[in-house]
Structure formats: structure tokens, C-alpha cells
């Protein structure tokens, strides 16, 4: 990769990288070793110039007349996304959402290894989800300290999320994948990714409303 590490990459570009990573993975699985930006563009329904521009942010990776080496490009994107290593993760809140996330084995393929699941409900003690035992929340701080936990997924009600997040920060967590509908007030070295499925649904609704408006205009 060339000189570009110190340059700020726009969040729009970053948000497209996981999709490139996924498509390149599918191409590898189907035995494709190299691909031109035009072919990649046709498959991904992104313009070839967009692909070239996006990847140029990181130094290119393509070769004139050859296109992209699929395995190499996927590896480089993995490095940029930081998924060329594994992360230890805990899930806080073993309710509907926490159990669904814990039950989804594919996160592990991307290097996110669920090491523990925590809840305050004593009835859940010892419940196993994909071979991982639900533990009680009071054990969490020591668990994070003793097991090199990098990431905590917060799938708890918003009322307790701020307090739990700051306890996790004290315990040395590096990042929080926050599903609770509240902003967390954490030191800036802790990376927070807020996830709101409802926002995605509102985007969908906007696009549906737009489609309707366009249809009316065409009439
Ligand atoms: P749920 O009620 O099924 O599960 C919540 C679990 O958290 C319960 O098992 C409860 O005992 C546990 N809990 C409560 N306080 C805790 C604490 N201090 N420490 C450890 N565990 C604790 O709820 P569900 O459906 O799983 O949703 C969880 C949260 O995620 C809710 O706040 C909900 O609003 C939010 N949510 C967010 C979504 C998003 O897209 N961001 C989508 C769906 C839910």
C-alpha cells in the first residue's frame, strides 16, 4: 500500500469497503483470480470509475491491462478494515438481540470471536448460546480484564447503557458496538459504533416514498 495512511478517508468510501470485501470473497470462492474494474463494476452495480477512485484512496492496487488480483485486493481491504486479525468480543444483554448476535457464527469468520455473554437476569445463568455460557453482569469487569476483551456489543436497555459503557471503559475495553438507543459519553480513545436498524428502515421508507413520487411525476 502506498503513502496514503495519513490522509483522511471519507466515511462514504469506508462504508463501501465492506461491500468490496464481500464481493471479492464471493469471487474467490467461485475461483476467480483476477478481475477488471469494469467486470467488478458490472457485478457490484457501482461505476468502474467509482471503484477506481475508491481504491486510489489507498494507493490503487490495480495494474494497467491486468485489473485486480482478487485475493490480494481482498487481503489489502481486510488490512484497511482491520479484519486481518481477530478481536475478542463480549455481548452485554442476553435478550432477543443479544442472543441473535451471539447465535450468528459468521461474525467469527470475520475475526470477531464471542468470548462471553452477560446479563443481570439470574434466570439466564448457565444458558448456553452457540456453546457460550451466559454469565452474570457482576463478573463482567474481571472477565474483560482477564480475557483481553477488545469489543463489547451493548444489547441492553438504554437506561443502563451509559453506566455499563463507562464501567467497560474502566476495565480497558477498546471499542463498543452500541445497539442501545442512547449516546455514550466515553473517552475519545474508545471507538464507538452506534447501530440503529430503525434508521436503515427509515432510509428504506424514504426510498419507497421517493419511488412513489417519481411514479406520480411520470403519469
Ligand atoms: P430484551 O429485553 O429481549 O433484552 C435485554 C436484556 O438485557 C435482558 O435479558 C435484560 O435482562 C438485560 N439487561 C438489562 N440491563 C442489563 C445490564 N445492566 N447488564 C446486563 N444485562 C442487562 O431486549 P432486546 O429486544 O434484546 O433489545 C435490547 C436493546 O437493544 C433494547 O434497548 C432495544 O431498544 C435495543 N435494540 C436496538 C436495535 C438497534 O437497531 N439499535 C434493534 C433492536 C433492539
Amino acid at each position: 500500500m502506498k503513502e496514503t495512511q495519513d490522509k483522511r478517508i471519507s466515511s462514504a468510501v469506508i462504508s463501501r469497503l465492506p461491500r468490496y470485501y464481500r464481493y471479492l470473497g464471493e469471487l474467490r470462492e467461485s475461483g476467480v483470480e483476477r478481475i477488471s474494474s469494469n467486470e467488478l463494476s458490472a457485478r457490484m452495480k457501482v461505476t468502474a470509475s467509482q471503484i477506481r477512485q475508491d481504491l486510489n484512496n489507498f494507493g490503487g492496487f490495480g495494474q494497467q491491462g491486468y485489473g485486480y488480483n482478487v485475493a490480494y485486493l481482498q487481503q489489502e481491504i481486510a488490512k484497511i478494515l482491520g479484519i486481518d486479525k481477530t478481536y475478542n468480543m463480549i455481548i452485554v444483554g442476553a435478550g432477543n438481540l443479544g442472543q441473535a448476535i451471539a447465535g450468528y457464527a459468521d461474525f467469527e469468520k470475520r475475526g470477531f470471536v464471542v468470548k462471553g455473554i452477560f446479563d443481570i437476569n439470574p434466570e439466564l445463568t448457565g444458558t448456553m448460546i452457540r456453546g457460550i455460557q451466559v454469565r452474570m453482569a457482576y463478573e463482567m469487569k474481571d472477565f474483560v480484564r482477564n480475557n483481553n476483551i477488545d469489543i463489547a456489543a451493548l444489547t441492553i436497555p438504554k437506561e443502563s447503557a451509559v453506566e455499563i459503557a463507562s464501567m467497560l471503559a474502566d476495565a480497558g475495553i477498546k471499542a463498543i458496538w452500541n445497539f442501545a438507543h442512547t449516546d455514550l459519553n466515553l473517552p475519545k480513545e474508545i471507538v464507538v459504533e452506534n447501530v440503529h436498524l430503525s434508521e436503515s428502515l427509515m432510509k428504506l421508507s424514504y426510498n419507497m416514498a421517493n419511488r412513489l413520487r417519481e411514479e406520480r411525476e411520470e403519469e
Side-chain angles (χ1 to χ4, degrees):
M1 209 187 320
K2 295 170 208 157
E3 31 107 357
T4 45
Q5 291 301 10
D6 51 346
K7 204 166 74 181
R8 280 240 149 231
I9 309 296
S10 82
S11 57
V13 176
I14 304 288
S15 69
R16 283 192 287 271
L17 291 182
R19 201 158 159 250
Y20 289 126
Y21 181 84
R22 188 161 49 81
Y23 268 82
L24 291 162
E26 285 170 12
L27 288 168
R28 274 177 86 169
E29 276 166 25
S30 53
V32 178
E33 284 174 15
R34 72 182 208 193
I35 192 161
S36 67
S37 50
N38 284 334
E39 284 169 284
L40 193 57
S41 144
R43 277 183 188 248
M44 291 188 59
K45 299 190 173 62
V46 177
T47 65
S49 87
Q50 172 93 82
I51 292 176
R52 279 192 294 268
Q53 259 178 39
D54 282 351
L55 299 180
N56 276 341
N57 279 294
F58 308 100
F61 311 123
Q63 279 171 35
Q64 203 80 44
Y66 176 88
Y68 298 104
N69 176 311
V70 173
Y72 174 72
L73 181 56
Q74 199 198 18
Q75 244 171 44
E76 291 301 309
I77 291 179
K79 281 191 210 160
I80 296 162
L81 289 171
I83 51 173
D84 55 332
K85 35 181 125 33
T86 57
Y87 297 101
N88 292 332
M89 181 157 103
I90 59 165
I91 295 171
V92 189
N96 292 311
L97 187 56
Q99 294 207 21
I101 291 173
Y104 184 57
D106 269 21
F107 292 134
E108 244 139 74
K109 283 198 208 148
R110 301 274 173 269
F112 302 96
V113 183
V114 178
K115 293 284 184 182
I117 307 168
F118 294 87
D119 205 288
I120 46 168
N121 180 356
E123 284 174 22
L124 292 171
T125 321
T127 304
M128 300 293 279
I129 304 163
R130 214 165 43 82
I132 308 155
Q133 183 198 336
V134 176
R135 297 165 197 270
M136 286 297 93
Y138 65 82
E139 299 172 58
M140 191 159 40
K141 197 166 185 175
D142 284 343
F143 189 92
V144 168
R145 286 193 170 137
N146 299 333
N147 293 278
N148 290 322
I149 303 300
D150 304 293
I151 303 171
L154 290 194
T155 53
I156 48 178
K158 65 177 179 189
E159 290 71 25
S160 43
V162 172
E163 189 193 330
I164 295 287
S166 84
M167 182 274 279
L168 289 165
D170 284 348
I173 207 90
K174 298 189 188 86
I176 295 208
W177 195 22
N178 179 31
F179 288 84
H181 296 296
T182 187
D183 291 328
L184 306 173
N185 216 349
L186 293 172
K188 66 174 179 348
E189 60 272 19
I190 296 176
V191 174
V192 178
E193 176 67 23
N194 297 305
V195 185
H196 296 296
L197 296 181
S198 49
E199 286 179 9
S200 170
L201 210 43
M202 280 188 256
K203 254 204 283 189
L204 178 139
S205 134
Y206 168 81
N207 287 331
M208 285 169 72
N210 233 13
R211 178 80 43 92
L212 272 178
R213 275 191 286 271
E214 280 167 10
E215 276 170 17
R216 275 198 213 106
E217 277 167 22
E218 279 165 19
E219 278 167 16

